[in-house]
Amino acid sequence: MTDDELISEYKKLDTASISDALDKLRLPGSAIGIAPLFDKARLVGRAFTVKFIPKGASNQTSGDYLDDVPPGSVIVIDNDDRVDCTVWGDIMTKFSISKGIAGTVIAGVCRDTALAIDLQYPIFSCGRFMRTGKDRLELYAVNKPVNVGGVQVNPGDLVIGNSDGVVFVPQMAERQVLEAAQTIENTEQRIIKEIELGKGLKEAREVHGYHRLQTPEDQIAKSQQLSDQVIMAFGAISTP
């Protein structure tokens, strides 16, 4: 599977199914406290990471890194969850659209949000606030590991966002996560179809193993082993 084909498959999935798949594989990835600027925001792409720190003696211009972002990337900004000043505004939104950037995720806040909403440019952040980051922040690192929503994000990791929030998928596990998420989503669709045909919720879930969809395989095996032991013990007690 090529990279374009992989990303295309991820575009078919909801963040909920991907988050469940991450749980099944015991991987972090669901970003806490990061929400879309508008409900229909949707993005899928590889992370271009950026880290800001409080302003020191540097005279760096904070937004110039945008020139280096490849088309189709998702800009992932770590501003240490600061909500007192912004790292994103209208010029950056306009430039990103013109360059074909897939969207922006911010551990912090953004401004000029009306423009981003009007242009349907996907932004996911901790919130919105109008005060500039100029003279308050400086660019510390580009394409280094960052922390967003309690998740370590590395350059090139997959970023998927929709109305429920953002998930990050590490490159080393992206195919395993994809397979697990597809299984989860297909199973849930079969359950929904059976409910629509009149089957009860409990029965439909039991038939398709709903309650084990997100459970790690080793935990399922342990539960089955314990169940077998209980059955064997009960059988031994019941035998005259």
Side-chain angles (χ1 to χ4, degrees):
M1 184 183 297
T2 67
D3 194 62
D4 286 344
E5 290 171 340
L6 182 78
I7 290 174
S8 179
E9 289 301 311
Y10 267 100
K11 286 181 178 180
K12 301 174 185 177
L13 298 171
D14 288 332
T15 56
S17 299
I18 298 168
S19 177
D20 289 350
L22 289 165
D23 282 347
K24 189 173 186 67
L25 296 169
R26 297 187 186 277
L27 294 170
S30 303
I32 300 170
I34 307 296
L37 189 59
F38 51 93
D39 282 342
K40 292 186 178 180
R42 172 80 180 177
L43 58 78
V44 180
R46 295 204 175 274
F48 183 98
T49 60
V50 180
K51 170 68 177 175
F52 284 95
I53 59 173
K55 180 71 174 177
S58 170
N59 291 316
Q60 289 179 323
T61 302
S62 61
D64 288 349
Y65 66 84
L66 279 176
D67 289 332
D68 301 321
V69 181
S73 299
V74 176
I75 300 167
V76 179
I77 302 174
D78 179 358
N79 193 29
D80 201 27
D81 296 331
R82 285 184 64 170
V83 295
D84 63 321
C85 60
T86 186
V87 291
W88 194 270
D90 55 356
I91 294 174
M92 301 175 82
T93 293
K94 280 276 196 177
F95 182 82
S96 295
I97 291 172
S98 71
K99 197 172 181 184
I101 292 169
T104 301
V105 178
I106 308 169
V109 292
C110 56
R111 71 176 185 177
D112 301 317
T113 55
L115 177 69
I117 294 169
D118 286 346
L119 297 177
Q120 295 290 281
Y121 179 75
I123 298 177
F124 294 73
S125 68
C126 297
R128 57 187 85 184
F129 192 56
M130 82 300 296
R131 190 162 68 176
T132 181
K134 292 176 183 176
D135 300 321
R136 296 184 174 94
L137 301 168
E138 67 179 65
L139 184 64
Y140 178 72
V142 172
N143 271 337
K144 299 293 183 182
V146 297
N147 179 58
V148 175
V151 181
Q152 179 176 300
V153 185
N154 291 291
D157 285 350
L158 275 175
V159 189
I160 304 95
N162 69 358
S163 57
D164 290 336
V166 172
V167 290
F168 301 104
V169 179
Q171 285 184 276
M172 65 177 184
E174 56 194 20
R175 282 171 171 74
Q176 297 95 310
V177 172
L178 175 62
E179 183 178 339
Q182 289 172 330
T183 298
I184 290 167
E185 197 151 298
N186 290 337
T187 301
E188 290 187 346
Q189 289 303 312
R190 287 196 293 271
I191 291 171
I192 290 170
K193 186 170 291 185
E194 293 202 22
I195 290 170
E196 290 173 345
L197 293 173
K199 185 169 286 188
L201 177 60
K202 181 179 179 181
E203 181 184 0
R205 282 178 164 179
E206 286 180 349
V207 166
H208 294 286
Y210 172 81
H211 297 293
R212 295 186 298 176
L213 281 177
Q214 303 89 357
T215 306
E217 293 298 333
D218 61 336
Q219 189 172 327
I220 293 174
K222 286 180 181 178
S223 296
Q224 185 61 53
Q225 184 180 22
L226 179 60
S227 176
D228 292 343
Q229 289 172 351
V230 170
I231 291 171
M232 290 175 64
F234 182 77
I237 295 171
S238 302
T239 302

mmCIF file of all heavy atoms in Angstrom, residues 10-28:
data_model
loop_
_atom_site.group_PDB
_atom_site.id
_atom_site.type_symbol
_atom_site.label_atom_id
_atom_site.label_comp_id
_atom_site.label_asym_id
_atom_site.label_seq_id
_atom_site.Cartn_x
_atom_site.Cartn_y
_atom_site.Cartn_z
ATOM 1 N N TYR A 10 -7.478 6.090 5.607
ATOM 2 C CA TYR A 10 -7.743 6.783 6.877
ATOM 3 C C TYR A 10 -8.827 7.854 6.716
ATOM 4 O O TYR A 10 -9.570 8.136 7.654
ATOM 5 C CB TYR A 10 -6.457 7.411 7.423
ATOM 6 C CG TYR A 10 -5.716 6.504 8.380
ATOM 7 C CD1 TYR A 10 -4.623 5.758 7.957
ATOM 8 C CD2 TYR A 10 -6.105 6.400 9.715
ATOM 9 C CE1 TYR A 10 -3.943 4.917 8.829
ATOM 10 C CE2 TYR A 10 -5.429 5.564 10.590
ATOM 11 C CZ TYR A 10 -4.352 4.828 10.143
ATOM 12 O OH TYR A 10 -3.687 3.998 11.022
ATOM 13 N N LYS A 11 -8.918 8.442 5.543
ATOM 14 C CA LYS A 11 -9.942 9.473 5.306
ATOM 15 C C LYS A 11 -11.352 8.899 5.380
ATOM 16 O O LYS A 11 -12.319 9.637 5.575
ATOM 17 C CB LYS A 11 -9.713 10.128 3.941
ATOM 18 C CG LYS A 11 -8.531 11.080 3.917
ATOM 19 C CD LYS A 11 -8.362 11.722 2.542
ATOM 20 C CE LYS A 11 -7.204 12.713 2.554
ATOM 21 N NZ LYS A 11 -6.989 13.359 1.230
ATOM 22 N N LYS A 12 -11.487 7.583 5.250
ATOM 23 C CA LYS A 12 -12.800 6.940 5.315
ATOM 24 C C LYS A 12 -13.246 6.661 6.745
ATOM 25 O O LYS A 12 -14.399 6.262 6.966
ATOM 26 C CB LYS A 12 -12.768 5.619 4.542
ATOM 27 C CG LYS A 12 -12.403 5.751 3.068
ATOM 28 C CD LYS A 12 -12.245 4.373 2.427
ATOM 29 C CE LYS A 12 -11.754 4.460 0.990
ATOM 30 N NZ LYS A 12 -11.533 3.115 0.402
ATOM 31 N N LEU A 13 -12.348 6.847 7.719
ATOM 32 C CA LEU A 13 -12.625 6.445 9.097
ATOM 33 C C LEU A 13 -12.946 7.629 9.995
ATOM 34 O O LEU A 13 -12.469 8.745 9.784
ATOM 35 C CB LEU A 13 -11.408 5.711 9.667
ATOM 36 C CG LEU A 13 -11.006 4.409 8.978
ATOM 37 C CD1 LEU A 13 -9.660 3.939 9.519
ATOM 38 C CD2 LEU A 13 -12.069 3.338 9.184
ATOM 39 N N ASP A 14 -13.731 7.362 11.032
ATOM 40 C CA ASP A 14 -14.003 8.348 12.072
ATOM 41 C C ASP A 14 -12.902 8.305 13.120
ATOM 42 O O ASP A 14 -12.260 7.276 13.336
ATOM 43 C CB ASP A 14 -15.344 8.058 12.757
ATOM 44 C CG ASP A 14 -16.534 8.365 11.864
ATOM 45 O OD1 ASP A 14 -16.398 9.240 10.989
ATOM 46 O OD2 ASP A 14 -17.594 7.753 12.053
ATOM 47 N N THR A 15 -12.716 9.432 13.807
ATOM 48 C CA THR A 15 -11.724 9.447 14.885
ATOM 49 C C THR A 15 -12.105 8.484 16.003
ATOM 50 O O THR A 15 -11.226 7.936 16.684
ATOM 51 C CB THR A 15 -11.558 10.857 15.473
ATOM 52 O OG1 THR A 15 -12.835 11.353 15.916
ATOM 53 C CG2 THR A 15 -10.969 11.813 14.442
ATOM 54 N N ALA A 16 -13.407 8.246 16.215
ATOM 55 C CA ALA A 16 -13.839 7.332 17.278
ATOM 56 C C ALA A 16 -13.312 5.922 17.027
ATOM 57 O O ALA A 16 -12.801 5.258 17.946
ATOM 58 C CB ALA A 16 -15.361 7.320 17.373
ATOM 59 N N SER A 17 -13.421 5.446 15.803
ATOM 60 C CA SER A 17 -12.934 4.102 15.472
ATOM 61 C C SER A 17 -11.419 4.020 15.595
ATOM 62 O O SER A 17 -10.873 3.014 16.064
ATOM 63 C CB SER A 17 -13.345 3.722 14.043
ATOM 64 O OG SER A 17 -14.744 3.708 13.909
ATOM 65 N N ILE A 18 -10.728 5.089 15.197
ATOM 66 C CA ILE A 18 -9.267 5.101 15.308
ATOM 67 C C ILE A 18 -8.847 5.122 16.773
ATOM 68 O O ILE A 18 -7.916 4.420 17.188
ATOM 69 C CB ILE A 18 -8.685 6.302 14.542
ATOM 70 C CG1 ILE A 18 -9.034 6.198 13.054
ATOM 71 C CG2 ILE A 18 -7.167 6.378 14.736
ATOM 72 C CD1 ILE A 18 -8.758 7.449 12.264
ATOM 73 N N SER A 19 -9.544 5.915 17.587
ATOM 74 C CA SER A 19 -9.259 5.959 19.022
ATOM 75 C C SER A 19 -9.473 4.586 19.657
ATOM 76 O O SER A 19 -8.658 4.122 20.479
ATOM 77 C CB SER A 19 -10.151 7.000 19.702
ATOM 78 O OG SER A 19 -9.943 7.018 21.094
ATOM 79 N N ASP A 20 -10.552 3.910 19.281
ATOM 80 C CA ASP A 20 -10.808 2.556 19.797
ATOM 81 C C ASP A 20 -9.700 1.594 19.371
ATOM 82 O O ASP A 20 -9.282 0.721 20.143
ATOM 83 C CB ASP A 20 -12.157 2.044 19.297
ATOM 84 C CG ASP A 20 -13.340 2.757 19.942
ATOM 85 O OD1 ASP A 20 -13.123 3.506 20.913
ATOM 86 O OD2 ASP A 20 -14.475 2.562 19.469
ATOM 87 N N ALA A 21 -9.237 1.748 18.133
ATOM 88 C CA ALA A 21 -8.160 0.884 17.642
ATOM 89 C C ALA A 21 -6.869 1.131 18.425
ATOM 90 O O ALA A 21 -6.133 0.193 18.747
ATOM 91 C CB ALA A 21 -7.934 1.126 16.154
ATOM 92 N N LEU A 22 -6.593 2.381 18.729
ATOM 93 C CA LEU A 22 -5.422 2.709 19.534
ATOM 94 C C LEU A 22 -5.528 2.064 20.919
ATOM 95 O O LEU A 22 -4.541 1.528 21.441
ATOM 96 C CB LEU A 22 -5.275 4.229 19.671
ATOM 97 C CG LEU A 22 -4.853 4.974 18.393
ATOM 98 C CD1 LEU A 22 -5.094 6.469 18.553
ATOM 99 C CD2 LEU A 22 -3.382 4.719 18.072
ATOM 100 N N ASP A 23 -6.713 2.095 21.499
ATOM 101 C CA ASP A 23 -6.925 1.438 22.794
ATOM 102 C C ASP A 23 -6.666 -0.061 22.688
ATOM 103 O O ASP A 23 -6.037 -0.660 23.564
ATOM 104 C CB ASP A 23 -8.354 1.672 23.287
ATOM 105 C CG ASP A 23 -8.554 3.054 23.885
ATOM 106 O OD1 ASP A 23 -7.547 3.738 24.137
ATOM 107 O OD2 ASP A 23 -9.717 3.438 24.100
ATOM 108 N N LYS A 24 -7.175 -0.655 21.616
ATOM 109 C CA LYS A 24 -7.011 -2.104 21.438
ATOM 110 C C LYS A 24 -5.538 -2.492 21.348
ATOM 111 O O LYS A 24 -5.121 -3.558 21.818
ATOM 112 C CB LYS A 24 -7.754 -2.567 20.190
ATOM 113 C CG LYS A 24 -7.829 -4.093 20.039
ATOM 114 C CD LYS A 24 -8.722 -4.493 18.894
ATOM 115 C CE LYS A 24 -8.903 -6.002 18.849
ATOM 116 N NZ LYS A 24 -9.671 -6.519 20.009
ATOM 117 N N LEU A 25 -4.755 -1.615 20.749
ATOM 118 C CA LEU A 25 -3.325 -1.875 20.582
ATOM 119 C C LEU A 25 -2.491 -1.279 21.722
ATOM 120 O O LEU A 25 -1.256 -1.286 21.654
ATOM 121 C CB LEU A 25 -2.860 -1.322 19.242
ATOM 122 C CG LEU A 25 -3.487 -1.991 18.013
ATOM 123 C CD1 LEU A 25 -3.178 -1.194 16.750
ATOM 124 C CD2 LEU A 25 -3.005 -3.424 17.869
ATOM 125 N N ARG A 26 -3.175 -0.751 22.734
ATOM 126 C CA ARG A 26 -2.512 -0.134 23.897
ATOM 127 C C ARG A 26 -1.567 0.998 23.480
ATOM 128 O O ARG A 26 -0.439 1.117 23.984
ATOM 129 C CB ARG A 26 -1.745 -1.188 24.697
ATOM 130 C CG ARG A 26 -2.612 -2.287 25.304
ATOM 131 C CD ARG A 26 -1.796 -3.172 26.221
ATOM 132 N NE ARG A 26 -2.538 -4.318 26.720
ATOM 133 C CZ ARG A 26 -3.375 -4.298 27.772
ATOM 134 N NH1 ARG A 26 -3.577 -3.174 28.428
ATOM 135 N NH2 ARG A 26 -3.985 -5.416 28.151
ATOM 136 N N LEU A 27 -2.040 1.842 22.592
ATOM 137 C CA LEU A 27 -1.252 2.975 22.130
ATOM 138 C C LEU A 27 -1.927 4.292 22.517
ATOM 139 O O LEU A 27 -3.149 4.403 22.441
ATOM 140 C CB LEU A 27 -1.106 2.938 20.605
ATOM 141 C CG LEU A 27 -0.294 1.787 20.011
ATOM 142 C CD1 LEU A 27 -0.448 1.771 18.498
ATOM 143 C CD2 LEU A 27 1.175 1.931 20.385
ATOM 144 N N PRO A 28 -1.151 5.295 22.928
ATOM 145 C CA PRO A 28 -1.740 6.626 23.138
ATOM 146 C C PRO A 28 -2.024 7.267 21.790
ATOM 147 O O PRO A 28 -1.544 6.802 20.754
ATOM 148 C CB PRO A 28 -0.632 7.370 23.883
ATOM 149 C CG PRO A 28 0.629 6.730 23.394
ATOM 150 C CD PRO A 28 0.292 5.266 23.159
#
